Amino acid sequence: MRAVVIIPTYNEADNIQRFLTQVRKDAPNVDILVVDDNSPDGTSQIAKEVADRLGQIKVMTRTTNRGYAAASRDAMRAAISDNYDVIATMDADFSHDPAVLEQLVSQVNEHTALVIGSRYVAGGEVTNWPLFRRLLSRWGNLYTAFCLKLKIKDCTSGFRAYSAKQLAQINLAELTADGYAFLTEIAFVISRNNLGDVVEVPINYVDRAYGDSKMNTKIMRESMVLVTRWGIALRTGIGRKHLPR
Ligand SMILES: Nc1nc2c(ncn2[C@@H]2O[C@H](COP(=O)(O)OP(=O)(O)OP(=O)(O)O)[C@@H](O)[C@H]2O)c(=O)[nH]1
Ligand SMILES: [Mg+2]
């Protein structure tokens, strides 16, 4: 079984070298695909130097259409065409513990399409987040599960492992979210199309210590608007054509 972890990056120069070194050490069986949006702080160059030194690391540098979702989609397409069996994703800022990566990857199987590293199942935790961020994420996830009739407790966690075969069933070009709503959108599509089980594994999510957050009000608003729109379409049929397929 071949596995790759996609690491979207934007201005992660303060983290990337240490992070890649740690992933290489903790998950020696998982290849790495960094997808950087040509970060002005030189993240791509640093990642390429580390890649040359450590091996098993590819760096994809994008120059157009910057965004978490667009970068993730491009990297997913590349990983699918490279014939990986499992495609994981994680952040570069140490919020997701590299020591847990192989555990997520190992739980993907023919029944399980998606394994989510989850803050909101028993045993899950959030460390060092300010109260506002905690409430936003917690209530955002409760609202999302309600609107979309999902049993998933942490739809917005970016620490995941997908079955490549099931991911390949999704028309990634048709997904509409630009920011982290992409994570909800893809979980929603997997559930709606019965592509396989979604399993949540507890993680401790630790706030970044270095580098700046890219979370902003536009991303939060997008998430709220899309979830509400999809929820209305699901329940009433109004705007059904906007539901992700
Ligand atoms: N390629 C790419 N990666 C991005 C973009 N925005 C964010 N990322 C990466 O996606 C991951 C998650 O972004 P963060 O800024 O950490 O978002 P967050 O975890 O919600 O915010 P913090 O809690 O402040 O860390 C990080 O590895 C980022 O570098 C983007 O526009 N393009
Ligand atoms: Mg982060």
Side-chain angles (χ1 to χ4, degrees):
M1 202 194 58
R2 293 175 66 236
V4 63
V5 60
I6 291 168
I7 302 169
T9 56
Y10 193 71
N11 286 346
E12 298 290 359
D14 293 341
N15 291 306
I16 195 70
Q17 179 173 354
R18 242 171 4 104
F19 182 75
L20 292 175
T21 307
Q22 195 64 42
V23 176
R24 247 324 19 100
K25 194 159 151 242
D26 288 342
N29 298 316
V30 181
D31 293 347
I32 297 174
L33 174 56
V34 175
V35 53
D36 182 65
D37 271 321
N38 205 14
S39 302
D41 73 354
T43 302
S44 276
Q45 286 81 339
I46 301 170
K48 281 174 189 154
E49 283 160 27
V50 181
D52 288 343
R53 209 153 23 86
L54 300 182
Q56 258 181 296
I57 302 174
K58 277 190 193 166
V59 181
M60 189 171 173
T61 306
R62 305 173 73 251
T63 51
T64 54
N65 192 19
R66 165 168 116 71
Y68 178 85
S72 300
R73 283 197 301 260
D74 280 359
M76 284 171 170
R77 281 192 203 98
I80 289 167
S81 62
D82 277 348
N83 288 315
Y84 282 101
D85 302 299
V86 176
I87 300 172
T89 61
M90 72 192 295
D91 297 352
D93 56 2
F94 287 95
S95 288
H96 303 146
D97 183 356
V100 181
L101 176 60
E102 285 196 340
Q103 190 199 332
L104 297 192
V105 165
S106 70
Q107 294 204 31
V108 173
N109 57 43
E110 57 180 310
H111 305 292
T112 304
L114 170 59
V115 180
I116 302 179
S118 176
R119 296 162 286 192
Y120 307 122
V121 290
E125 280 173 79
V126 174
T127 302
N128 291 344
W129 249 8
L131 185 64
F132 172 70
R133 219 34 223 280
R134 257 173 214 272
L135 290 176
L136 186 73
S137 173
R138 190 75 190 95
W139 284 100
N141 267 295
L142 288 169
Y143 181 70
T144 299
F146 166 75
C147 285
L148 307 183
K149 300 183 179 178
L150 294 173
K151 295 208 173 63
I152 303 167
K153 302 256 191 273
D154 195 350
C155 272
T156 52
S157 167
F159 196 11
R160 296 177 165 198
Y162 299 87
S163 151
K165 197 172 145 204
Q166 301 310 332
L167 199 57
Q169 308 288 313
I170 299 172
N171 187 347
L172 294 169
E174 272 194 10
L175 303 185
T176 52
D178 293 324
Y180 309 118
F182 168 72
L183 294 163
T184 300
E185 187 171 32
I186 208 157
F188 185 38
V189 171
I190 288 173
S191 299
R192 250 165 73 72
N193 294 313
N194 295 317
L195 296 181
D197 295 344
V198 178
V199 170
E200 289 183 271
V201 171
I203 58 159
N204 180 13
Y205 178 99
V206 183
D207 192 17
R208 65 161 72 240
Y210 300 99
D212 298 322
S213 174
K214 278 103 234 168
M215 178 57 106
N216 57 38
T217 46
K218 184 169 164 248
I219 287 171
M220 290 181 230
R221 200 173 336 109
E222 181 197 46
S223 209
M224 193 74 164
V225 168
L226 287 178
V227 166
T228 305
R229 186 182 293 161
W230 295 331
I232 291 170
L234 197 64
R235 282 149 192 281
T236 67
I238 297 168
R240 173 163 271 154
K241 68 173 192 293
H242 297 301
L243 279 174
R245 268 186 284 270

